[in-house]
Amino acid sequence: MTVTDETTGQQLAESLLQGVGNEQMRAATRLLGAHRDGYWLRRLLRDEATLSATADRSVIDRSGQHPSVDWDTLGHLLLARPGALKCSSSELAVLEVAASLVSCCPVQLGTVFRAVDSHELGLILTVLEEAAYGESY
């Protein structure tokens, strides 16, 4: 998968969602695509080799017809090797919320609320509804 400067975060998320039917995974990937124009999705793809080596398994699942985020690996990184993901507290909070949607990382909501701004909180609330009720909610 090639990521260019012209690729929006939403487009990047959609490309990683092809063939993904799980509502929670879809919502989590959409959150990462919407947050700062795909900051985490770009980083996962750009730093895939380094992050995969740190986790001892791939952060991007390329076993199917289309690549997708490997949420188990991402959860492992967050829980076992949190220092591998150098980022701001709000960036980390958004990533933790995304991983928690697919049951790969526990999240403390108070910590999240203190770390994110109102726009990021709006994104989180939107994907919580999508994860619970589906995209058409």
Side-chain angles (χ1 to χ4, degrees), residues 1-15 33 37-38 42 45:
M1 167 174 292
T2 304
V3 179
T4 66
D5 290 337
E6 294 82 35
T7 306
T8 68
Q10 181 180 3
Q11 290 169 329
L12 191 53
E14 291 304 318
S15 71
D37 195 30
R42 291 175 199 288
L45 290 165

PDB file of all heavy atoms in Angstrom, residues 1-15 33 37-38 42 45:
ATOM      1  N   MET A   1       0.839  -1.159   0.000  1.00  0.00           N
ATOM      2  CA  MET A   1       0.000   0.000   0.000  1.00  0.00           C
ATOM      3  C   MET A   1       0.892   1.233   0.000  1.00  0.00           C
ATOM      4  O   MET A   1       1.774   1.370   0.812  1.00  0.00           O
ATOM      5  CB  MET A   1      -0.891  -0.021   1.239  1.00  0.00           C
ATOM      6  CG  MET A   1      -1.575   1.274   1.513  1.00  0.00           C
ATOM      7  SD  MET A   1      -2.729   1.146   2.862  1.00  0.00           S
ATOM      8  CE  MET A   1      -3.930   0.086   2.110  1.00  0.00           C
ATOM      9  N   THR A   2       0.616   2.133  -0.912  1.00  0.00           N
ATOM     10  CA  THR A   2       1.373   3.366  -1.025  1.00  0.00           C
ATOM     11  C   THR A   2       0.546   4.514  -0.473  1.00  0.00           C
ATOM     12  O   THR A   2      -0.609   4.689  -0.831  1.00  0.00           O
ATOM     13  CB  THR A   2       1.727   3.661  -2.496  1.00  0.00           C
ATOM     14  OG1 THR A   2       2.431   2.536  -3.012  1.00  0.00           O
ATOM     15  CG2 THR A   2       2.576   4.897  -2.607  1.00  0.00           C
ATOM     16  N   VAL A   3       1.166   5.292   0.408  1.00  0.00           N
ATOM     17  CA  VAL A   3       0.498   6.443   0.997  1.00  0.00           C
ATOM     18  C   VAL A   3       1.164   7.692   0.441  1.00  0.00           C
ATOM     19  O   VAL A   3       2.370   7.843   0.521  1.00  0.00           O
ATOM     20  CB  VAL A   3       0.613   6.433   2.537  1.00  0.00           C
ATOM     21  CG1 VAL A   3      -0.074   7.645   3.131  1.00  0.00           C
ATOM     22  CG2 VAL A   3       0.043   5.158   3.101  1.00  0.00           C
ATOM     23  N   THR A   4       0.355   8.562  -0.143  1.00  0.00           N
ATOM     24  CA  THR A   4       0.884   9.815  -0.674  1.00  0.00           C
ATOM     25  C   THR A   4       0.340  10.972   0.152  1.00  0.00           C
ATOM     26  O   THR A   4      -0.596  10.815   0.931  1.00  0.00           O
ATOM     27  CB  THR A   4       0.473  10.010  -2.147  1.00  0.00           C
ATOM     28  OG1 THR A   4      -0.949  10.173  -2.201  1.00  0.00           O
ATOM     29  CG2 THR A   4       0.897   8.836  -3.011  1.00  0.00           C
ATOM     30  N   ASP A   5       0.927  12.136  -0.034  1.00  0.00           N
ATOM     31  CA  ASP A   5       0.461  13.332   0.672  1.00  0.00           C
ATOM     32  C   ASP A   5      -0.962  13.691   0.277  1.00  0.00           C
ATOM     33  O   ASP A   5      -1.667  14.349   1.031  1.00  0.00           O
ATOM     34  CB  ASP A   5       1.389  14.512   0.395  1.00  0.00           C
ATOM     35  CG  ASP A   5       2.744  14.333   1.057  1.00  0.00           C
ATOM     36  OD1 ASP A   5       2.830  13.569   2.038  1.00  0.00           O
ATOM     37  OD2 ASP A   5       3.715  14.957   0.596  1.00  0.00           O
ATOM     38  N   GLU A   6      -1.393  13.268  -0.911  1.00  0.00           N
ATOM     39  CA  GLU A   6      -2.741  13.579  -1.378  1.00  0.00           C
ATOM     40  C   GLU A   6      -3.790  12.628  -0.807  1.00  0.00           C
ATOM     41  O   GLU A   6      -4.985  12.895  -0.896  1.00  0.00           O
ATOM     42  CB  GLU A   6      -2.813  13.524  -2.917  1.00  0.00           C
ATOM     43  CG  GLU A   6      -1.998  14.600  -3.614  1.00  0.00           C
ATOM     44  CD  GLU A   6      -0.517  14.239  -3.743  1.00  0.00           C
ATOM     45  OE1 GLU A   6      -0.197  13.047  -3.933  1.00  0.00           O
ATOM     46  OE2 GLU A   6       0.316  15.138  -3.630  1.00  0.00           O
ATOM     47  N   THR A   7      -3.379  11.525  -0.228  1.00  0.00           N
ATOM     48  CA  THR A   7      -4.304  10.563   0.359  1.00  0.00           C
ATOM     49  C   THR A   7      -4.813  11.120   1.685  1.00  0.00           C
ATOM     50  O   THR A   7      -4.030  11.428   2.569  1.00  0.00           O
ATOM     51  CB  THR A   7      -3.609   9.207   0.606  1.00  0.00           C
ATOM     52  OG1 THR A   7      -3.017   8.736  -0.589  1.00  0.00           O
ATOM     53  CG2 THR A   7      -4.590   8.179   1.121  1.00  0.00           C
ATOM     54  N   THR A   8      -6.124  11.262   1.808  1.00  0.00           N
ATOM     55  CA  THR A   8      -6.680  11.751   3.063  1.00  0.00           C
ATOM     56  C   THR A   8      -6.705  10.618   4.084  1.00  0.00           C
ATOM     57  O   THR A   8      -6.636   9.432   3.728  1.00  0.00           O
ATOM     58  CB  THR A   8      -8.110  12.288   2.873  1.00  0.00           C
ATOM     59  OG1 THR A   8      -8.974  11.180   2.559  1.00  0.00           O
ATOM     60  CG2 THR A   8      -8.175  13.367   1.800  1.00  0.00           C
ATOM     61  N   GLY A   9      -6.849  10.985   5.337  1.00  0.00           N
ATOM     62  CA  GLY A   9      -6.965   9.977   6.383  1.00  0.00           C
ATOM     63  C   GLY A   9      -8.183   9.098   6.181  1.00  0.00           C
ATOM     64  O   GLY A   9      -8.137   7.887   6.408  1.00  0.00           O
ATOM     65  N   GLN A  10      -9.279   9.700   5.726  1.00  0.00           N
ATOM     66  CA  GLN A  10     -10.497   8.933   5.468  1.00  0.00           C
ATOM     67  C   GLN A  10     -10.277   7.931   4.340  1.00  0.00           C
ATOM     68  O   GLN A  10     -10.703   6.776   4.430  1.00  0.00           O
ATOM     69  CB  GLN A  10     -11.646   9.867   5.124  1.00  0.00           C
ATOM     70  CG  GLN A  10     -12.942   9.138   4.875  1.00  0.00           C
ATOM     71  CD  GLN A  10     -14.091  10.079   4.527  1.00  0.00           C
ATOM     72  OE1 GLN A  10     -13.920  11.281   4.410  1.00  0.00           O
ATOM     73  NE2 GLN A  10     -15.270   9.508   4.354  1.00  0.00           N
ATOM     74  N   GLN A  11      -9.600   8.344   3.271  1.00  0.00           N
ATOM     75  CA  GLN A  11      -9.317   7.435   2.161  1.00  0.00           C
ATOM     76  C   GLN A  11      -8.406   6.302   2.616  1.00  0.00           C
ATOM     77  O   GLN A  11      -8.598   5.142   2.223  1.00  0.00           O
ATOM     78  CB  GLN A  11      -8.658   8.196   1.010  1.00  0.00           C
ATOM     79  CG  GLN A  11      -9.566   9.147   0.291  1.00  0.00           C
ATOM     80  CD  GLN A  11      -8.818  10.071  -0.655  1.00  0.00           C
ATOM     81  OE1 GLN A  11      -7.658  10.431  -0.427  1.00  0.00           O
ATOM     82  NE2 GLN A  11      -9.489  10.468  -1.735  1.00  0.00           N
ATOM     83  N   LEU A  12      -7.443   6.635   3.439  1.00  0.00           N
ATOM     84  CA  LEU A  12      -6.532   5.627   3.958  1.00  0.00           C
ATOM     85  C   LEU A  12      -7.290   4.609   4.808  1.00  0.00           C
ATOM     86  O   LEU A  12      -7.096   3.397   4.668  1.00  0.00           O
ATOM     87  CB  LEU A  12      -5.435   6.316   4.770  1.00  0.00           C
ATOM     88  CG  LEU A  12      -4.245   5.500   5.186  1.00  0.00           C
ATOM     89  CD1 LEU A  12      -3.606   4.789   4.010  1.00  0.00           C
ATOM     90  CD2 LEU A  12      -3.222   6.399   5.870  1.00  0.00           C
ATOM     91  N   ALA A  13      -8.185   5.105   5.665  1.00  0.00           N
ATOM     92  CA  ALA A  13      -8.996   4.202   6.482  1.00  0.00           C
ATOM     93  C   ALA A  13      -9.843   3.289   5.605  1.00  0.00           C
ATOM     94  O   ALA A  13      -9.900   2.066   5.824  1.00  0.00           O
ATOM     95  CB  ALA A  13      -9.884   5.003   7.434  1.00  0.00           C
ATOM     96  N   GLU A  14     -10.493   3.852   4.600  1.00  0.00           N
ATOM     97  CA  GLU A  14     -11.343   3.050   3.721  1.00  0.00           C
ATOM     98  C   GLU A  14     -10.539   1.966   3.004  1.00  0.00           C
ATOM     99  O   GLU A  14     -11.013   0.851   2.816  1.00  0.00           O
ATOM    100  CB  GLU A  14     -12.086   3.931   2.727  1.00  0.00           C
ATOM    101  CG  GLU A  14     -13.151   4.819   3.358  1.00  0.00           C
ATOM    102  CD  GLU A  14     -14.195   4.052   4.162  1.00  0.00           C
ATOM    103  OE1 GLU A  14     -14.647   2.979   3.709  1.00  0.00           O
ATOM    104  OE2 GLU A  14     -14.557   4.537   5.248  1.00  0.00           O
ATOM    105  N   SER A  15      -9.308   2.288   2.618  1.00  0.00           N
ATOM    106  CA  SER A  15      -8.481   1.276   1.941  1.00  0.00           C
ATOM    107  C   SER A  15      -8.100   0.139   2.884  1.00  0.00           C
ATOM    108  O   SER A  15      -7.932  -0.997   2.452  1.00  0.00           O
ATOM    109  CB  SER A  15      -7.229   1.920   1.334  1.00  0.00           C
ATOM    110  OG  SER A  15      -6.325   2.322   2.342  1.00  0.00           O
ATOM    111  N   GLY A  33      -8.375   7.043  11.071  1.00  0.00           N
ATOM    112  CA  GLY A  33      -8.363   7.793   9.818  1.00  0.00           C
ATOM    113  C   GLY A  33      -8.809   9.230   9.993  1.00  0.00           C
ATOM    114  O   GLY A  33      -8.291  10.143   9.352  1.00  0.00           O
ATOM    115  N   ASP A  37      -6.099  13.684  10.312  1.00  0.00           N
ATOM    116  CA  ASP A  37      -5.985  13.258   8.916  1.00  0.00           C
ATOM    117  C   ASP A  37      -5.200  11.954   8.752  1.00  0.00           C
ATOM    118  O   ASP A  37      -4.368  11.814   7.875  1.00  0.00           O
ATOM    119  CB  ASP A  37      -5.380  14.359   8.048  1.00  0.00           C
ATOM    120  CG  ASP A  37      -5.590  14.098   6.563  1.00  0.00           C
ATOM    121  OD1 ASP A  37      -6.606  13.456   6.200  1.00  0.00           O
ATOM    122  OD2 ASP A  37      -4.732  14.515   5.766  1.00  0.00           O
ATOM    123  N   GLY A  38      -5.467  11.010   9.631  1.00  0.00           N
ATOM    124  CA  GLY A  38      -4.873   9.688   9.498  1.00  0.00           C
ATOM    125  C   GLY A  38      -3.505   9.537  10.125  1.00  0.00           C
ATOM    126  O   GLY A  38      -2.734   8.651   9.736  1.00  0.00           O
ATOM    127  N   ARG A  42      -1.083   6.490   8.961  1.00  0.00           N
ATOM    128  CA  ARG A  42       0.144   6.825   8.223  1.00  0.00           C
ATOM    129  C   ARG A  42       1.370   6.315   8.973  1.00  0.00           C
ATOM    130  O   ARG A  42       2.290   5.760   8.379  1.00  0.00           O
ATOM    131  CB  ARG A  42       0.258   8.336   8.025  1.00  0.00           C
ATOM    132  CG  ARG A  42      -0.758   8.906   7.095  1.00  0.00           C
ATOM    133  CD  ARG A  42      -0.667  10.431   7.042  1.00  0.00           C
ATOM    134  NE  ARG A  42      -1.880  11.010   6.529  1.00  0.00           N
ATOM    135  CZ  ARG A  42      -2.267  10.951   5.270  1.00  0.00           C
ATOM    136  NH1 ARG A  42      -1.519  10.360   4.374  1.00  0.00           N
ATOM    137  NH2 ARG A  42      -3.409  11.494   4.902  1.00  0.00           N
ATOM    138  N   LEU A  45       1.746   2.510   8.816  1.00  0.00           N
ATOM    139  CA  LEU A  45       2.247   2.084   7.502  1.00  0.00           C
ATOM    140  C   LEU A  45       3.692   2.528   7.283  1.00  0.00           C
ATOM    141  O   LEU A  45       4.516   1.764   6.789  1.00  0.00           O
ATOM    142  CB  LEU A  45       1.338   2.618   6.399  1.00  0.00           C
ATOM    143  CG  LEU A  45      -0.044   1.969   6.352  1.00  0.00           C
ATOM    144  CD1 LEU A  45      -1.004   2.787   5.507  1.00  0.00           C
ATOM    145  CD2 LEU A  45       0.058   0.538   5.841  1.00  0.00           C
TER     146      LEU A  45
END
